[in-house]
Amino acid sequence: MSYNFSEKPMPKQISDSQLGQSTHYPNQYDPTQLFPIARAVTRQGSRAENTPTWIGADLWTAFEISWLDLKGKPVVAIASFSFAESNPFLIESKSFKLYLNSFNQSRFASTEEVMTLLSQDLSKAAGGQVLVQLLPSHAWTDNQIIHLPGSCVDELDLAIDCYEPNPHLLKLVDSDETPTETEQIKMLYSNLLKSNCPVTNQPDWGSVIVAYQGKSIDPAAFLRYIVSYRQHNGFHELCVEEIYCDILRHCMPEALFVCARYTRRGGLDINPWRASDEAIVKSVAELLKPFSRLARQ
């Protein structure tokens, strides 16, 4: 069965989702559990509403996926999903978990059949292609812990008193840099990113990395800015998009990459990234490999 990408799921209100509500957990395959949310709706009124020209994806890893083979024996796997940022819809995370749980007591002839269903269902819900990979249990050693490249700003000794997003905290280092220095790729990262679910207010914990070319971003200013998300309510994807847009507007880099790797909830982690071009993505390619993770993911 093929999916016609011109068919769009009907837009839904976020308030109609299963988030924050008592829920029946299905254990028979049920693609209707998926709850798509229009990206345009999540961006309304945000600093990312007028999105720049960028590339990117939302990378999800599922650590709780299982089904039965034709003899009734359970199969378990780790799944990797890549949703292109150009897809008009994102998937609400609790509905994603309910959908994956619906495979638990359903029988399938092969891993390939499951992978095909996942790709078809998610592509239909997202309004565009979703890449799916399944890692069987005998290959779990391929799920490697990686380390963030660049300079960590977390140990800077700072006084901080702003816990709502404030892009005006961002600033450049006051120095004269040569053209060679501004052409170099620089990287900053922090493990202190925290935001909250806009529906349940549950905390979302993550690490954020920025790679860029241009004048140097002040590390202390970058840390204060990231910490300013601490009381903010926003979806993972939108937080990354706003960080990207804020740095683009206030620091004016010639090339930019922003990625956040969030800790998992309900067996799912979400790792959105946005970039200005393919060239800068090559410098952080290790971060975007399927089944890679940080130590606390």
Side-chain angles (χ1 to χ4, degrees):
M1 180 176 67
S2 61
Y3 173 64
N4 180 0
F5 292 115
S6 65
E7 299 174 7
K8 298 287 195 302
M10 291 297 292
K12 298 183 180 182
Q13 297 296 318
I14 297 172
S15 58
D16 295 331
S17 75
Q18 295 280 6
L19 273 175
Q21 302 182 31
S22 297
T23 306
H24 168 69
Y25 284 80
N27 60 14
Q28 293 292 326
Y29 169 64
D30 182 6
T32 67
Q33 292 293 330
L34 291 169
F35 191 93
I37 300 172
R39 291 186 188 272
V41 171
T42 69
R43 292 169 179 155
Q44 285 177 356
S46 77
R47 299 186 307 284
E49 185 169 15
N50 298 315
T51 59
T53 300
W54 55 24
I55 58 176
D58 305 325
L59 308 178
W60 298 61
T61 313
F63 294 87
E64 299 176 9
I65 180 168
S66 181
W67 62 92
L68 304 178
D69 67 16
L70 294 183
K71 294 182 179 180
K73 180 182 176 182
V75 182
V76 292
I78 299 173
S80 174
F81 308 94
S82 179
F83 294 77
E85 63 78 24
S86 57
N87 290 351
F89 295 86
L90 55 84
I91 306 300
E92 185 274 309
S93 59
K94 186 173 182 179
S95 78
F96 201 164
K97 178 183 178 182
L98 293 173
Y99 165 69
L100 293 178
N101 278 331
S102 78
F103 282 77
N104 289 348
Q105 289 299 116
S106 296
R107 300 190 181 205
F108 300 97
S110 66
T111 297
E112 288 70 26
E113 180 184 0
V114 173
M115 195 155 52
T116 298
L117 279 176
L118 289 167
S119 181
Q120 289 177 348
D121 294 341
L122 292 168
S123 295
K124 182 175 182 179
Q129 188 176 24
V130 177
L131 302 178
V132 180
Q133 297 184 55
L134 290 175
L135 193 68
S137 57
H138 66 262
W140 284 354
T141 53
D142 293 340
N143 189 25
Q144 298 293 330
I145 293 178
I146 59 174
H147 302 281
L148 292 176
S151 300
C152 180
V153 299
D154 296 347
E155 300 305 315
L156 295 174
D157 187 10
L158 301 177
I160 297 178
D161 59 6
C162 180
Y163 304 108
E164 287 292 344
N166 183 357
H168 297 287
L169 292 170
L170 290 164
K171 65 179 183 179
L172 298 172
V173 173
D174 186 15
S175 66
D176 293 325
E177 295 181 274
T178 67
T180 300
E181 289 172 324
T182 59
E183 289 173 2
Q184 294 173 349
I185 295 178
K186 309 176 183 91
M187 301 182 193
L188 296 172
Y189 74 88
S190 174
N191 297 307
L192 301 184
L193 178 64
K194 173 191 171 289
S195 55
N196 303 304
C197 172
V199 179
T200 66
N201 208 41
Q202 290 179 296
D204 294 320
W205 307 93
S207 300
V208 61
I209 180 170
V210 171
Y212 67 98
Q213 287 177 293
K215 293 184 177 180
S216 294
I217 298 171
D218 186 315
F222 175 71
L223 177 56
R224 287 192 174 97
Y225 169 71
I226 294 302
V227 172
S228 76
Y229 274 80
R230 196 166 180 84
Q231 297 285 22
H232 177 61
N233 288 352
F235 289 110
H236 301 68
E237 299 89 344
L238 184 58
C239 287
V240 168
E241 292 181 347
E242 288 187 323
I243 292 170
Y244 183 97
C245 290
D246 288 345
I247 293 175
L248 194 66
R249 290 165 185 158
H250 290 266
C251 300
M252 296 181 289
E254 296 173 10
L256 178 63
F257 168 90
V258 175
C259 176
R261 298 193 66 106
Y262 284 90
T263 59
R264 71 184 82 159
R265 182 190 294 166
L268 286 169
D269 67 34
I270 308 175
N271 310 283
W273 66 273
R274 303 290 183 267
S276 58
D277 56 74
E278 293 285 357
I280 197 158
V281 174
K282 291 179 181 179
S283 66
V284 290
E286 192 73 16
L287 285 174
L288 307 180
K289 288 182 178 180
F291 308 111
S292 62
R293 63 186 179 93
L294 301 183
R296 64 174 178 164
Q297 286 189 292

